[in-house]
Amino acid sequence: MDAAPLIIVSNRGPLQFDRDEAGERTLRRGGGGLVTALSGLVSHREALWIASAMTEEDVAVSEEAEGGAVELTIDEIDYRVCLVGSDAQAYDRFYNVIANPILWFIQHYLWDLSNAPDIRREELDAWDYGYQTVNRDIAEAVVAQIDGRPDPVVMLHDYHLYTAPRMIRERRPDAFLHHFVHIPWSQPDSWRVLPTRIREAIFDGLLANDIIGFHTLAYCINFLRCCEELLEAEVDYARGEVHHAGARTLARAYPLGIDAQRLERAASSPEVAEAEREVLERRRKHLILRVDRADLSKNVLRGFTAFDVFLAQHPEFREEVTFVAHLQPSRQDVPEYAEYLERIEALVAVVNHRHGTTDWMPIDLRIYENFPEAVARYKHYDLLMVNSIFDGMNLVAKEAPAVNTRDGVLMLSENTGSHEELWDYVISVNPFDIQEQADAIYRALTLPAEQKRAWSEGLREIIFSRTPGDWVDDQIEDIAALRSSAR
Ligand code: F6P
């Protein structure tokens, strides 16, 4: 019998198929930190990647492949991907009602509890006939791919797939199941908005894994506390273990690094050089930058308000500084996200009207994704703003300093996973404290050159010391150790 390749499973895959206006099939790379991390994994090991078919064209590709894998190379990486189609209504309930917003909002503490969420028939049905349906479709695809192969290793990812591990475990008790959660794990009370049966299905599903990985130790501890308080499972904090349903699950921290060398190669590409010309032509004395998905957890509104306060308190900086914000539209079928983007645009109009002049627009808002343009600005910012409300890791905080050429300063929210590693060389901010963020802008733009140099060297040393390959290797090593101790 053939040994199964490593199976990685996530909702968003590395490739997204669409049709352009001329009706031609197009292909682009999936966005977000998860795809970046797992691309590092597949460039490192032979793997089959199972993902949801998210667009109509993805569904067409999956039907053409008849449940098999498609093989494609993008950005020098070879992918073998198996796209899993689900019923369109089930997928909509799964993605737009349960995963985003309900689970995402719980795990980033975004609910305004006196107003929302309301759990009604619609949400319960979305759980039963959406989240569970898509998890079952994915679990079945996994079981089909590992059929007849001994000792398979399956790595599942993120909050979309919390119940799939139990479904796989029931069919393949011998499989090694590993789950990495790319977003924060919030404290026990935040989970109490969910009806007990849903909460228990989530924890029971996750505890069918052998290992659950998080970006930080703080998230591991929150997870263990949830198992103890909400499931009354037996927890060993010192060993990071949970005992449930006759099995043991380990909770471990594996901080994700970036492929800084690949980013350096991208930073010296002709596409970035072309984008850089415009950046340099238009730049004022100071450039403040942020690059994010347009997500509520990123705290874009407070960031702009802090800039507004800074300009009001330091009029000497008027016409000398521009704040460029690259925001990639995200999850626009979820009303909270669509409304958030509208509020961002309205606030930018107010700030620009309040402080702008005939030839100076303080905030330059770019609502699209353009990698060369973003990297060109990574190279030239004076201040990078990462002020997330809560954020699993935040890879921009590692990517941008890796290629910055101006000893730019990083303003970093203390509630990001990357703060656990980078805090010594950043201006830390409380994401809710607007005055502190306004002061941080002033401090960053007036910081002595030697201090900026020392910080940027400190950041680069940490950032270049760990790659996505190390992140994968640490997890594979733990999997191997656990497997051999079980024999
Ligand atoms: O890393 C967190 C994450 O939610 C991933 O799971 C996801 O792929 C990415 O951000 C982008 O979100 P989405 O897939 O909803 O566009």
Side-chain angles (χ1 to χ4, degrees):
M1 267 188 295
D2 295 342
L6 177 65
I7 306 283
I8 57 184
V9 195
S10 63
N11 172 54
R12 183 169 292 283
L15 317 168
Q16 182 168 313
F17 295 92
D18 284 294
R19 288 255 170 213
D20 63 17
E21 279 160 14
E24 294 294 317
R25 178 171 284 170
T26 61
L27 172 65
R28 66 184 175 94
R29 233 189 93 171
L34 179 146
V35 167
T36 307
L38 298 188
S39 297
L41 191 162
V42 297
S43 63
H44 201 69
R45 307 231 155 208
E46 204 209 321
L48 171 69
W49 190 330
I50 299 178
S52 293
M54 293 183 70
T55 61
E56 278 177 29
E57 207 51 31
D58 283 351
V59 174
V61 169
S62 116
E63 282 167 4
E64 284 161 28
E66 296 175 353
V70 287
E71 299 190 14
L72 281 163
T73 304
I74 306 192
D75 295 345
E76 302 163 26
I77 300 177
D78 301 325
Y79 296 97
R80 280 187 66 220
V81 184
C82 173
L83 292 172
V84 181
S86 287
D87 169 77
Q89 190 193 11
Y91 192 82
D92 178 59
R93 288 166 148 176
F94 155 83
Y95 187 77
N96 292 320
V97 182
I98 301 294
N100 315 301
I102 293 189
L103 298 177
W104 180 271
F105 277 36
I106 288 175
Q107 294 193 238
H108 293 84
Y109 305 95
L110 293 175
W111 286 121
D112 170 10
L113 291 181
S114 64
N115 286 313
D118 290 340
I119 308 290
R120 298 170 188 266
R121 187 79 261 154
E122 189 193 336
E123 285 71 24
L124 298 173
D125 285 349
W127 172 263
D128 291 327
Y129 309 115
Y131 193 84
Q132 294 288 51
T133 306
V134 173
N135 272 260
R136 201 164 302 112
D137 292 340
I138 292 276
E140 266 164 27
V142 171
V143 169
Q145 292 295 336
I146 59 179
D147 188 35
R149 297 176 185 250
D151 300 332
V153 176
V154 181
M155 296 178 84
L156 297 113
H157 292 267
D158 243 346
Y159 57 101
H160 311 89
L161 302 177
Y162 286 155
T163 56
R166 175 65 64 205
M167 298 167 184
I168 301 169
R169 173 68 71 220
E170 279 165 2
R171 307 267 294 277
R172 286 297 298 265
D174 63 318
F176 191 99
L177 302 183
H178 174 101
H179 205 120
F180 192 86
V181 180
H182 293 254
I183 64 176
W185 197 276
S186 52
Q187 295 178 4
D189 280 348
S190 66
W191 291 89
R192 292 187 193 276
V193 297
L194 291 177
T196 311
R197 76 172 174 95
I198 294 183
R199 218 162 62 201
E200 288 185 354
I202 288 174
F203 285 94
D204 178 65
L206 271 170
L207 291 171
N209 290 293
D210 297 284
I211 301 183
I212 306 177
F214 299 93
H215 282 305
T216 72
L217 197 57
Y219 305 153
C220 284
I221 293 169
N222 283 347
F223 179 74
L224 295 174
R225 287 183 51 216
C226 283
C227 292
E228 189 173 54
E229 284 186 31
L230 304 174
L231 204 65
E232 297 181 3
E234 189 195 327
V235 171
D236 180 335
Y237 285 92
R239 298 163 80 94
E241 285 181 12
V242 186
H243 295 263
H244 168 73
R248 172 184 70 161
T249 301
L250 299 190
R252 288 270 182 283
Y254 304 100
L256 176 60
I258 60 155
D259 191 343
Q261 282 167 356
R262 237 176 114 234
L263 202 66
E264 277 188 323
R265 284 202 297 281
S268 49
S269 68
E271 295 80 18
V272 170
E274 199 188 317
E276 238 176 307
R277 273 192 285 281
E278 195 210 316
V279 170
L280 293 174
E281 252 170 49
R282 294 171 66 111
R283 76 165 282 137
R284 299 272 163 155
K285 188 168 171 204
H286 307 283
L287 172 63
I288 303 176
L289 176 67
R290 72 174 307 142
V291 178
D292 293 294
R293 270 185 315 105
D295 193 294
L296 289 83
S297 66
K298 304 293 180 185
N299 209 17
V300 179
L301 294 171
R302 286 195 190 84
F304 287 150
T305 305
F307 185 56
D308 182 24
V309 170
F310 160 79
L311 288 175
Q313 294 174 346
H314 297 282
E316 69 276 18
F317 278 87
R318 285 191 185 156
E319 306 220 338
E320 292 205 337
V321 54
T322 309
F323 188 164
V324 179
H326 281 258
L327 298 181
Q328 180 195 346
S330 182
R331 306 174 187 166
Q332 288 298 295
D333 290 335
V334 178
E336 286 87 345
Y337 280 78
E339 190 204 325
Y340 192 58
L341 208 45
E342 281 170 18
R343 290 179 64 200
I344 290 171
E345 288 179 291
L347 178 59
V348 168
V350 168
V351 176
N352 280 344
H353 181 73
R354 185 155 32 234
H355 302 284
T357 61
T358 39
D359 71 346
W360 173 61
M361 193 170 61
I363 301 178
D364 178 354
L365 181 61
R366 296 176 178 239
I367 304 182
Y368 52 75
E369 189 181 14
N370 182 320
F371 184 64
E373 235 186 78
V375 175
R377 290 201 170 82
Y378 282 175
K379 290 173 82 172
H380 295 287
Y381 68 80
D382 300 289
L383 168 63
L384 176 73
M385 182 185 281
V386 178
N387 66 330
S388 317
I389 291 175
F390 281 94
D391 209 332
M393 171 54 78
N394 195 295
L395 293 179
V396 171
K398 294 184 173 181
E399 286 174 351
V403 292
N404 182 259
T405 58
R406 301 178 60 90
D407 293 333
V409 176
L410 171 58
M411 176 204 290
L412 186 59
S413 159
E414 59 196 12
N415 296 345
T416 57
S418 52
H419 193 266
E420 228 179 62
E421 293 170 85
L422 306 179
W423 63 273
D424 236 352
Y425 304 107
V426 305
I427 302 184
S428 300
V429 290
N430 171 334
F432 308 101
D433 188 338
I434 288 168
Q435 184 59 56
E436 185 182 46
Q437 289 164 64
D439 294 344
I441 295 174
Y442 179 74
R443 187 169 168 222
L445 301 188
T446 55
L447 203 66
E450 320 80 71
Q451 176 73 77
K452 289 172 61 177
R453 165 68 48 87
W455 276 357
S456 97
E457 281 171 3
L459 283 177
R460 285 173 63 84
E461 200 177 317
I462 299 174
I463 292 164
F464 278 79
S465 70
R466 190 167 163 84
T467 68
D470 299 322
W471 176 76
V472 175
D473 287 346
D474 291 351
Q475 297 177 67
I476 302 273
E477 248 172 55
D478 283 353
I479 291 173
L482 211 61
R483 288 200 98 149
S484 61
S485 72
R487 287 201 171 107

